[in-house]
Amino acid sequence: MLQTRPRASLIHRLSLSIWGLFLALLVLLSALGYLAMRMAMDRVVPMVARHVVELRASASEGLFLQAEQSVVRLQRDLLSRLARADREATLARFDALFARSADGLWRLRPELVDPEHAPTLYLHQAPAGLSDSARLRAVVAYDLLREQGPALAPPFFSAYMDFVEDGLMVYARGVDWGSGADAAATNTGYPTMQGSEPRRNPQRKVFWTPVYFDKQAATWMVSVIKPLDWQGQWVGTLGHDVSIQTLIDRTTANREDDGIQLVMGADGGLIAHPQLRQRISAADGQLNVASLRDPLLREVHRLIVASGADSGASRTPDGRQWVAWSKIHGPGWYQVYLLPQSRVNRLLGWGLAALFAIGIAGLLPATWLLRRQVRRLFDQPLKRLTQAVDELSQGREPGRIGLRSDDELGRLAGAFDDMVEELVQQRALQFAHAQALQTEVEERRQFMNRLEQERARLLALLGAMDLGIVFVGSESRVTYCNAAFRTMWTLPAGTAVVGRTTLEGVEATRHLMANPDAVLAHLQDSLTHEEQPRHFEIELLDGRTLLHNSYPVRDAHGQFIGRLWVQEDVTRERQTAEQLVRLAEHDPLTGLYNRRRFEDDLGRFFHAAERVPDQAALLFFDLDEFKYVNDTAGHRAGDAVLNRVAVELRTLIREDDTLFRLGGDEFAVLMPHASLDDAEHLAERIVRRISQTPLPLDEQTVRLTTSLGIAHFPTHADNTEDLVAHADAAMYQAKHTGKNRWKIYRPDRDTSREMASRLTWNDRIERALEHDLLRLHFQGVYRANNGHLAHLEALIRMEDEANPGQLIMPAQFIDHAEKSGKILEVDRWVVRESVRLLATHPHLPAIAINISGRSFDDPELPAYIGAQLQEQHVSPKRLLVELTETSAVSDMGDAARFIAALRRTGCPICLDDFGTGFASFAYLKHLQADVLKIDGMFIRDLPLERDNQVFVRAIIEVAHGMGKLAVAEFVEDGKTLLMLREMGVDMVQGYHLDRPKADHPALRAGGVGLRH
């Protein structure tokens, strides 16, 4: 046996050697790792610091650039309006808007003061009086700021215009600047006016004022100014006040080790510093670093000026600080970030410690794995070899050692396993030879038992079948028949069948068959052609029909050994088929042929007419005022009237003519081989007979009339569709000329194409509702802020009945459905299907459905929606009902009542296509919707259409101000999506996000998001 002490000693020595090697490698790698991290830090720190400060600068400068663009646009709009203004009308309007107060200042008349929605004014009266120029500018500026001010404040604190005549027109939401000014108020000497003076600003550039603290707003401000020149003179300024409090708050003091964020002007003035906020405030925002005894700030200013670049990063000469800066375009300030080198050194120390700890953590499992490998490779294989040798020496059969290695131990174990396997095979051969004979005998006995069982089961199966089963051998003799065959042929008990030839069998049953010679000929033919199956019918004298099937039978070697006859009594099936054919072609009420048979007969006639020219007439007619019968006496009385009319009409038509009931009170007569005179004669008889037939109705007798139209082939049409359409048109021509008459189709009065189109679409929509041909596709509506699915919009499609799989878009059939009133049924189908899907998929957040404006006339629809939700146990919040704005506005009263009823069900309401008219805002207080879907015409080309941007932003702000959500549809590209997100829209929808599809991913998962 192997001793354990040497093995343990070997493992121990190997472990110590590896341990020492790992420690040496760990120390070396730690040193190299520190050097690498040091070099990486010197490269990464300036890049990261610069990126951080550039992000902060970019986040800050957006509002400033927007303010510059806005003030330039305001100047352009003001000058444009001044150029277009009617001088006399505008001067007259000045007196209607403004009045001179007791203190001598011109102000807005008190009754017009509305600081929430309009600007205010104070304006000094010059000694020579107020000039026409000042009056014109005051009126035009008032209108401009009243229209655009609410959209500009916010984001800006105010929008205003200075007058060189010493006055100010201001819009700041909720602030009345005019009333707050007194006789001493003046803008003379303001930085805004000084910077706009032509001598100081000859290029008339946009400029920014110094920072100042606005006491009224309690915030730090800076103003952007655009000089205003008109008619070759400097007349004032246009500007915005912009709050920079957020920019200052971002420099809140942190720990000194984490770095300092500050904002510095290009001239060295401190705008924001977390540790110098009080001193900056005391200096009115104009604290210059030159006045501070802070070498670090002076060095920062020197680095920025020396670089000449908008952004950069560098280390101070003493190596103690990293400095990163980025220019804030607009006012021209710099966002600065100071990061101490000590912070970087501390991170390097932590990195070295982590690297060393990772090395130690890797050493311990490595040592354990080494000991495990030694035990697996040496200790365990030797133990298995020793045990196998002991078992073999004791006469037992050892198991395979099964070492899979290719080393010396593996080859030794393999040789031992081969030797043992050879010994075992020799023993097994001797034992197997003894068992072979016994096994063969047992298998033969079992096979015979199974064969006998299969034969018994087969006979039981054949005997229990209702089919007649006969096996005829190769010599045309019957070798088997079952009981069903005897019963089928009414053979007396004890009649011998097996052993007789087929000829003898036919002779014995000849008296039962209607045509025994034909049966015999069929049987002889099947015997002659052995290879093919044969099928024919046997008619019996008692009216039964037997279906005879004959199949060739071959043995295991493919040799023909006979035929199998299978006979089935198909009498009942044939009778049922005939009955079904009659039901399919006849009207169950009147017994007349129905519309299906009408279409088939008409198609067969035209098919035959293609080969042999012929003529035919088609008569269409219905009962005038038949609806009155159903409404007053009920449908049972109406059915009795239709039956009586059918009886009377049967006596009028010729043998070749065919009378059809197409549905309701509509009838048709197809007259093949008939001239137009024949058709006129029959039409006159039909109209006269119906008008003269007394019809009992509620214990009284009434007489109905009919309107009949005639179309002749080939005079009026050369195909099925036109012939039917023209006959129908002729019938309506008869109705329009007074009823109780017949008319021949006249092309000059043809409204059939329009009517046929209408009737065709009405019929297609009706069949789509009956045969479940309507489909729903779904398009996702996503939250703009995070891209998660908010809900799905259900969009209806119709499957083309003539081309299965091809869909018809709603634009092709919705108008027809609305005109015919079918839209009410379509809307209910959409409600039913959407609620069912919500119940089937509880993970879906919500589905939005579109309701037609015609449904405002259906006061039962809101209750129907509520009943469907309650029946399917679906929360009303998950069904969003969309109504088009144009439909709602066109009938405000019905729309308001309809929406109020819908709100009682708990369903959210969405106004679709919102904004098609600017007056839409006025309707919002009457139409209590929860969601506004912005009309797609404002979203298309949004990045290129500045007017659309202003309007969309206004809609979003109005929606949010009224507590509603805003949805943008037709989002077709990424630029539009990003702009809508910046504007604050709540939800987005369009082909850029996904397209309508029947198998939307949201129906298979808990929700999806967009990756934009």
Side-chain angles (χ1 to χ4, degrees):
M1 298 294 291
L2 297 177
Q3 299 299 319
T4 58
R5 181 174 299 175
R7 290 202 301 273
S9 177
L10 177 61
I11 295 172
H12 182 65
R13 290 197 298 272
L14 287 174
S15 297
L16 289 178
S17 300
I18 297 300
W19 181 266
L21 180 61
F22 277 10
L23 284 178
L25 289 174
L26 180 60
V27 172
L28 178 60
L29 290 175
S30 298
L32 293 175
Y34 178 79
L35 292 175
M37 287 189 293
R38 184 75 185 198
M39 295 175 65
M41 280 293 186
D42 288 343
R43 291 179 176 271
V44 172
V45 168
M47 289 192 296
V48 172
R50 181 176 178 178
H51 182 66
V52 169
V53 81
E54 285 178 349
L55 288 178
R56 286 184 176 271
S58 176
S60 302
E61 71 182 8
L63 187 60
F64 297 129
L65 296 179
Q66 185 181 358
E68 288 185 357
Q69 296 170 0
S70 177
V71 78
V72 171
R73 182 179 57 78
L74 278 177
Q75 184 223 34
R76 185 174 63 251
D77 290 351
L78 180 62
L79 292 176
S80 175
R81 293 188 182 208
L82 284 170
R84 299 193 309 268
D86 185 331
R87 181 183 182 88
E88 297 302 327
T90 305
L91 290 175
R93 191 160 179 263
F94 178 87
D95 296 329
L97 291 174
F98 306 104
R100 192 175 182 188
S101 304
D103 57 4
L105 294 181
W106 286 91
R107 293 185 176 88
L108 193 66
R109 291 185 178 275
E111 64 271 16
L112 299 179
V113 174
D114 183 8
E116 287 289 338
H117 304 94
T120 58
L121 168 76
Y122 77 83
L123 182 60
H124 285 272
Q125 171 85 6
L130 199 61
S131 67
D132 289 349
S133 172
R135 292 170 179 265
L136 288 171
R137 279 180 278 122
V139 173
V140 174
Y142 174 79
D143 290 338
L144 177 64
L145 293 182
R146 179 173 58 83
E147 294 175 8
Q148 300 189 15
L152 297 173
F156 314 123
F157 180 76
S158 67
Y160 57 85
M161 184 183 77
D162 283 304
F163 292 81
V164 295
E165 291 86 353
D166 196 5
L168 184 64
M169 175 82 71
V170 185
Y171 175 80
R173 191 184 299 275
V175 180
D176 185 358
W177 289 88
S179 300
D182 55 20
T186 179
N187 64 351
T188 304
Y190 276 17
T192 60
M193 299 298 289
Q194 292 177 352
S196 296
E197 205 275 326
R199 291 175 298 174
R200 298 183 181 180
N201 191 350
Q203 292 83 14
R204 321 309 285 154
K205 293 182 178 179
V206 175
F207 65 91
W208 290 85
T209 67
V211 177
Y212 62 91
F213 185 78
D214 190 300
K215 295 181 179 180
Q216 187 170 8
T219 184
W220 287 92
M221 296 283 192
V222 66
S223 299
V224 58
I225 304 300
K226 174 65 177 175
L228 180 62
D229 297 332
W230 184 45
Q231 295 180 342
Q233 294 182 348
W234 174 49
V235 296
T237 70
L238 284 168
H240 288 307
D241 289 338
V242 181
S243 173
I244 62 168
Q245 188 65 47
T246 301
L247 180 61
I248 294 174
D249 291 343
R250 287 178 183 160
T251 63
T252 303
N254 298 323
R255 293 186 307 163
E256 186 175 352
D257 287 348
D258 292 337
I260 296 175
Q261 295 280 349
L262 58 95
V263 180
M264 178 182 291
D267 57 356
L270 278 177
I271 310 302
H273 192 291
Q275 299 169 357
L276 300 173
R277 300 181 73 170
Q278 293 182 355
R279 294 190 64 178
I280 295 173
S281 177
D284 199 15
Q286 303 301 316
L287 181 62
N288 197 287
V289 297
S291 64
L292 298 172
R293 295 180 180 179
D294 190 331
L296 176 58
L297 291 178
R298 287 200 298 271
E299 182 61 30
V300 169
H301 183 240
R302 187 192 66 78
L303 287 173
I304 293 174
V305 173
S307 70
D310 288 350
S311 63
S314 180
R315 189 155 42 189
T316 58
D318 59 6
R320 299 176 61 184
Q321 293 282 343
W322 284 96
V323 182
W325 67 90
S326 180
K327 189 172 185 179
I328 301 176
H329 295 88
W333 302 335
Y334 287 91
Q335 182 81 35
V336 183
Y337 178 44
L338 302 179
L339 177 66
Q341 179 63 38
S342 59
R343 173 67 171 170
V344 177
N345 294 337
R346 188 160 57 252
L347 291 175
L348 286 172
W350 280 108
L352 181 60
L355 184 62
F356 191 81
I358 292 172
I360 292 296
L363 177 62
L364 294 177
T367 305
W368 178 80
L369 288 174
L370 178 63
R371 292 179 60 88
R372 185 178 180 87
Q373 284 292 92
V374 170
R375 184 176 294 107
R376 184 179 65 84
L377 294 174
F378 294 99
D379 189 23
Q380 293 178 355
L382 290 175
K383 284 183 177 179
R384 292 170 65 182
L385 274 169
T386 303
Q387 182 180 359
V389 170
D390 290 343
E391 290 176 352
L392 186 61
S393 65
Q394 295 172 8
R396 291 180 294 171
E397 182 178 326
R400 288 183 58 84
I401 300 175
L403 296 181
R404 298 181 180 178
S405 61
D406 294 332
D407 55 14
E408 290 79 358
L409 289 176
R411 291 195 294 272
L412 178 59
F416 183 82
D417 288 340
D418 292 341
M419 180 186 68
V420 172
E421 185 177 359
E422 185 176 353
L423 292 175
V424 172
Q425 288 178 355
Q426 290 178 0
R427 295 177 185 176
L429 286 174
Q430 295 173 359
F431 181 76
H433 185 68
Q435 294 290 329
L437 293 175
Q438 183 177 354
T439 301
E440 183 178 357
V441 172
E442 182 65 22
E443 287 177 351
R444 288 179 179 273
R445 184 183 64 81
Q446 292 178 359
F447 176 76
M448 295 301 296
N449 289 338
R450 287 197 300 270
L451 189 61
E452 187 62 30
Q453 291 173 2
E454 288 296 329
R455 180 178 180 276
R457 283 194 290 267
L458 179 60
L459 291 176
L461 174 63
L462 295 176
M465 292 178 67
D466 291 335
L467 303 175
I469 306 297
V470 176
F471 182 76
V472 180
S474 57
E475 298 179 354
S476 298
R477 290 188 178 275
V478 177
T479 59
Y480 172 81
C481 76
N482 65 352
F485 179 81
R486 292 176 175 274
T487 303
M488 196 174 295
W489 288 94
T490 63
L491 296 177
T495 302
V497 175
V498 175
R500 303 176 71 177
T501 65
T502 56
L503 179 59
E504 294 173 345
V506 171
E507 292 299 329
T509 56
R510 175 181 287 270
H511 64 285
L512 301 175
M513 292 183 285
N515 191 354
D517 295 333
V519 173
L520 183 59
H522 281 301
L523 292 178
Q524 291 176 345
D525 179 68
S526 65
L527 293 176
T528 304
H529 300 84
E530 297 178 351
E531 301 299 325
Q532 292 85 22
R534 286 291 184 268
H535 311 280
F536 57 90
E537 293 183 357
I538 303 175
E539 300 292 338
L540 302 184
L541 293 175
D542 59 4
R544 288 184 298 145
T545 301
L546 303 182
L547 181 61
H548 179 88
N549 300 287
S550 177
Y551 305 95
V553 180
R554 294 174 177 82
D555 60 15
H557 302 289
Q559 297 295 324
F560 178 79
I561 59 174
R563 300 189 72 86
L564 175 67
W565 290 357
V566 179
Q567 294 185 349
E568 180 182 5
D569 189 342
V570 294
T571 306
R572 180 172 298 178
E573 287 79 357
R574 297 297 167 82
Q575 293 173 348
T576 301
E578 293 175 358
Q579 183 66 21
L580 290 176
V581 170
R582 175 172 179 79
L583 291 176
E585 294 183 345
H586 287 75
D587 173 38
L589 175 64
T590 62
L592 301 177
Y593 285 121
N594 58 15
R595 180 180 290 273
R596 177 178 176 180
R597 178 61 181 265
F598 169 72
E599 294 173 351
D600 292 343
D601 285 1
L602 201 58
R604 281 193 292 269
F605 170 79
F606 274 92
H607 183 70
E610 292 176 357
R611 300 188 303 270
V612 180
D614 201 350
Q615 60 178 343
L618 180 61
L619 281 60
F620 261 39
F621 58 97
D622 64 7
L623 302 180
D624 300 327
E625 309 301 336
F626 179 74
K627 184 176 183 298
Y628 170 79
V629 176
N630 278 334
D631 292 344
T632 57
H635 290 280
R636 188 181 299 276
D639 292 347
V641 168
L642 293 174
N643 268 318
R644 176 63 185 276
V645 169
V647 170
E648 295 294 331
L649 294 179
R650 281 194 182 99
T651 63
L652 299 179
I653 63 174
R654 304 178 309 178
E655 182 177 355
D656 292 340
D657 301 339
T658 309
L659 175 64
F660 305 90
R661 181 193 175 204
L662 303 183
D665 63 329
E666 295 183 351
F667 296 86
V669 177
L670 178 61
M671 304 177 65
H673 323 301
S675 65
L676 191 56
D677 291 339
D678 296 335
E680 293 175 4
H681 179 67
L682 179 58
E684 179 63 30
R685 296 177 63 196
I686 290 175
V687 171
R688 186 186 309 113
R689 175 66 63 86
I690 291 178
S691 64
Q692 294 175 354
T693 300
L695 302 171
L697 185 67
D698 283 347
E699 299 181 356
Q700 59 179 335
T701 300
V702 299
R703 299 180 187 272
L704 296 181
T705 61
T706 184
S707 299
L708 186 147
I710 303 172
H712 186 260
F713 169 79
T715 307
H716 300 139
D718 59 359
N719 58 74
T720 303
E721 291 77 10
D722 287 348
L723 187 66
V724 172
H726 294 168
D728 187 61
M731 180 182 71
Y732 277 95
Q733 292 172 7
K735 284 186 180 292
H736 293 160
T737 56
K739 303 179 182 179
N740 192 28
R741 64 194 62 207
W742 54 269
K743 289 289 181 181
I744 300 174
Y745 170 72
R746 291 182 56 181
D748 58 335
R749 297 182 181 178
D750 186 10
T751 59
S752 62
R753 293 189 180 274
E754 178 183 353
M755 185 175 299
S757 176
R758 173 178 60 82
L759 295 175
T760 299
W761 273 110
N762 290 349
D763 189 49
R764 293 179 71 178
I765 295 171
E766 182 68 26
R767 289 200 304 273
L769 290 166
E770 291 179 358
H771 302 297
D772 195 24
L773 296 179
L774 297 180
R775 303 286 182 266
L776 285 182
H777 282 207
F778 301 91
Q779 186 177 30
V781 180
Y782 298 89
R783 295 186 178 91
N785 57 351
N786 56 19
H788 292 167
L789 180 68
H791 60 270
L792 296 176
E793 182 177 4
L795 304 170
I796 193 168
R797 307 286 189 265
M798 181 193 292
E799 186 171 355
D800 192 345
E801 189 176 14
N803 300 291
Q806 182 175 345
L807 296 180
I808 303 173
M809 293 296 102
Q812 297 179 251
F813 64 90
I814 288 297
D815 286 343
H816 297 285
E818 289 183 338
K819 291 177 182 177
S820 66
K822 295 292 183 184
I823 193 65
L824 302 179
E825 299 179 49
V826 172
D827 281 350
R828 294 197 175 214
W829 180 90
V830 172
V831 170
R832 247 186 348 265
E833 188 66 12
S834 300
V835 173
R836 184 190 65 79
L837 281 173
L838 288 171
T840 306
H841 302 278
H843 59 267
L844 281 178
I847 291 180
I849 60 174
N850 293 278
I851 295 298
S852 167
R854 286 288 302 274
S855 292
F856 293 161
D857 301 329
D858 184 5
E860 303 291 333
L861 184 59
Y864 178 81
I865 294 175
Q868 288 293 315
L869 292 169
Q870 185 175 6
E871 181 180 342
Q872 298 287 345
H873 305 290
V874 174
S875 171
K877 298 294 184 184
R878 298 177 62 208
L879 187 68
L880 179 66
V881 181
E882 291 194 4
L883 309 171
T884 58
E885 178 209 2
T886 52
S887 298
V889 170
S890 64
D891 194 349
M892 183 69 70
D894 287 346
R897 288 189 293 272
F898 188 86
I899 291 176
L902 272 179
R903 294 188 70 85
R904 286 194 292 272
T905 67
C907 295
I909 310 299
C910 174
L911 275 186
D912 197 2
D913 298 336
F914 185 81
T916 51
F918 195 79
S920 303
F921 290 164
Y923 300 131
L924 289 179
K925 63 181 180 180
H926 302 292
L927 303 175
Q928 299 298 316
D930 304 288
V931 181
L932 303 183
K933 181 175 284 189
I934 305 171
D935 194 302
M937 72 176 183
F938 300 110
I939 307 301
R940 294 191 182 98
D941 299 327
L942 183 63
L944 304 177
E945 295 289 339
R946 192 169 189 85
D947 293 339
N948 285 355
Q949 295 174 20
V950 174
F951 193 77
V952 170
R953 193 184 301 275
I955 291 178
I956 294 171
E957 290 181 1
V958 168
H960 291 171
M962 300 184 72
K964 306 179 188 302
L965 298 177
V967 181
E969 59 182 354
F970 291 96
V971 179
E972 306 294 348
D973 54 68
K975 291 183 179 179
T976 303
L977 177 60
L978 291 176
M979 181 169 287
L980 287 169
R981 281 175 171 166
E982 293 173 0
M983 291 180 177
V985 76
D986 299 288
M987 290 171 278
V988 289
Q989 175 184 8
Y991 281 4
H992 180 62
L993 311 175
D994 67 5
R995 292 175 177 267
K997 54 180 73 70
D999 56 339
H1000 196 278
L1003 299 174
R1004 303 190 299 270
V1008 295
L1010 58 92
R1011 292 175 287 180
H1012 298 278

